[in-house]
Amino acid sequence: MAEEVRKVPLKPIRAWEETRPPRRKSPRKSPQQQQELCVPQPFHADSPSPGNASCFMGPDWQEKETLDYINTFLKGNEQEEAKKLEFLDRVITISRAALTRHPEQNLAAFLCKALLVEKIKELIDLESVDSLTSGVRQEAMLAIMELSKVKPLLRGRELSSLITVCFSSVFSLPPAETNQGMEAALYNNTLNTMDELLKTLVCEDEKRNLVVLQNIVEVLLPWTASKEVHVRLRAVGRITWLTKFISGQHKFKGVEEFRVLGQLVGCLTLCSAEQEQEIC
């Protein structure tokens, strides 16, 4: 009889042990492939939004509420001052949200910036120039300050038309000495806010933008020829403040950098011959 082959007993599988197939290593994804997996779905207001903002998941519920309020206001014709101030305050809120939460600091992820600019211009333009009893002008300029920090940036005709409306609304007010009590305080605060707005527009990422400065000066120059002394005084005051600010922060490489320099010097030369001592 042939010798029996000795069988080696198999190792028993314990009940608590699982039999799993060997793990296969998944192919390593390139950084580009990994990025493609993160396709955000931003919240769509009644305005165009970018199709792919890097890992931006859209507004939270509070921001959606703010957007709903803004969109409703844009479609309506609200005349109540409190509602206007609320709208401007919410524009500030959503601008700051775009600045801090959106990777590209682009307001288009929330709503259309051009629509906001036009509405703010409309609100400023509707303010009476016979007296200053409303805080809408000041709040509107604060909103413009925040809008100027997010993309798309204010440039060219859009910027010029915006600051033209601001200057017209403030410069055309009655002389400062006619203001009393709360109205005088509101006037001073409004004028200070305008100066801060001009400073914000000229400064971008802590750098001075001469192109924007030139746009502002070009809009200011015609106001220095006004028939009204108080209007000329306000315009010259803004030019003086801006030139002092920019000259202390920026070193010009040449006259060609600042194409309105000749006009500015000519304007100030004429102003120095003013009979009004404060302007002179």
Side-chain angles (χ1 to χ4, degrees), residues 1-6:
M1 182 182 291
E3 186 179 354
E4 293 184 359
V5 180
R6 186 176 181 181

PDB file of all heavy atoms in Angstrom, residues 1-6:
ATOM      1  N   MET A   1       0.872  -1.201   0.000  1.00  0.00           N
ATOM      2  CA  MET A   1       0.000   0.000   0.000  1.00  0.00           C
ATOM      3  C   MET A   1       0.890   1.226   0.000  1.00  0.00           C
ATOM      4  O   MET A   1       1.835   1.328   0.750  1.00  0.00           O
ATOM      5  CB  MET A   1      -0.877  -0.019   1.243  1.00  0.00           C
ATOM      6  CG  MET A   1      -1.837   1.180   1.282  1.00  0.00           C
ATOM      7  SD  MET A   1      -2.827   1.172   2.775  1.00  0.00           S
ATOM      8  CE  MET A   1      -3.816  -0.276   2.384  1.00  0.00           C
ATOM      9  N   ALA A   2       0.504   2.126  -0.895  1.00  0.00           N
ATOM     10  CA  ALA A   2       1.305   3.358  -0.963  1.00  0.00           C
ATOM     11  C   ALA A   2       1.152   4.144   0.317  1.00  0.00           C
ATOM     12  O   ALA A   2       0.100   4.147   0.951  1.00  0.00           O
ATOM     13  CB  ALA A   2       0.872   4.211  -2.155  1.00  0.00           C
ATOM     14  N   GLU A   3       2.264   4.743   0.671  1.00  0.00           N
ATOM     15  CA  GLU A   3       2.259   5.540   1.927  1.00  0.00           C
ATOM     16  C   GLU A   3       1.333   6.742   1.781  1.00  0.00           C
ATOM     17  O   GLU A   3       1.354   7.457   0.791  1.00  0.00           O
ATOM     18  CB  GLU A   3       3.668   6.005   2.225  1.00  0.00           C
ATOM     19  CG  GLU A   3       3.760   6.718   3.582  1.00  0.00           C
ATOM     20  CD  GLU A   3       5.177   7.139   3.863  1.00  0.00           C
ATOM     21  OE1 GLU A   3       6.080   6.787   3.095  1.00  0.00           O
ATOM     22  OE2 GLU A   3       5.367   7.845   4.860  1.00  0.00           O
ATOM     23  N   GLU A   4       0.459   6.928   2.751  1.00  0.00           N
ATOM     24  CA  GLU A   4      -0.480   8.051   2.695  1.00  0.00           C
ATOM     25  C   GLU A   4       0.267   9.376   2.866  1.00  0.00           C
ATOM     26  O   GLU A   4       1.183   9.493   3.660  1.00  0.00           O
ATOM     27  CB  GLU A   4      -1.523   7.926   3.813  1.00  0.00           C
ATOM     28  CG  GLU A   4      -2.447   6.750   3.615  1.00  0.00           C
ATOM     29  CD  GLU A   4      -3.501   6.735   4.682  1.00  0.00           C
ATOM     30  OE1 GLU A   4      -3.457   7.631   5.561  1.00  0.00           O
ATOM     31  OE2 GLU A   4      -4.360   5.845   4.653  1.00  0.00           O
ATOM     32  N   VAL A   5      -0.191  10.347   2.039  1.00  0.00           N
ATOM     33  CA  VAL A   5       0.410  11.697   2.138  1.00  0.00           C
ATOM     34  C   VAL A   5      -0.147  12.372   3.363  1.00  0.00           C
ATOM     35  O   VAL A   5      -1.361  12.470   3.545  1.00  0.00           O
ATOM     36  CB  VAL A   5       0.082  12.536   0.884  1.00  0.00           C
ATOM     37  CG1 VAL A   5       0.699  13.918   1.012  1.00  0.00           C
ATOM     38  CG2 VAL A   5       0.592  11.841  -0.350  1.00  0.00           C
ATOM     39  N   ARG A   6       0.752  12.853   4.183  1.00  0.00           N
ATOM     40  CA  ARG A   6       0.337  13.504   5.431  1.00  0.00           C
ATOM     41  C   ARG A   6      -0.236  14.889   5.126  1.00  0.00           C
ATOM     42  O   ARG A   6       0.406  15.720   4.493  1.00  0.00           O
ATOM     43  CB  ARG A   6       1.524  13.637   6.373  1.00  0.00           C
ATOM     44  CG  ARG A   6       1.129  14.160   7.747  1.00  0.00           C
ATOM     45  CD  ARG A   6       2.342  14.182   8.657  1.00  0.00           C
ATOM     46  NE  ARG A   6       1.990  14.641   9.971  1.00  0.00           N
ATOM     47  CZ  ARG A   6       2.861  14.786  10.968  1.00  0.00           C
ATOM     48  NH1 ARG A   6       4.132  14.456  10.765  1.00  0.00           N
ATOM     49  NH2 ARG A   6       2.464  15.226  12.133  1.00  0.00           N
TER      50      ARG A   6
END
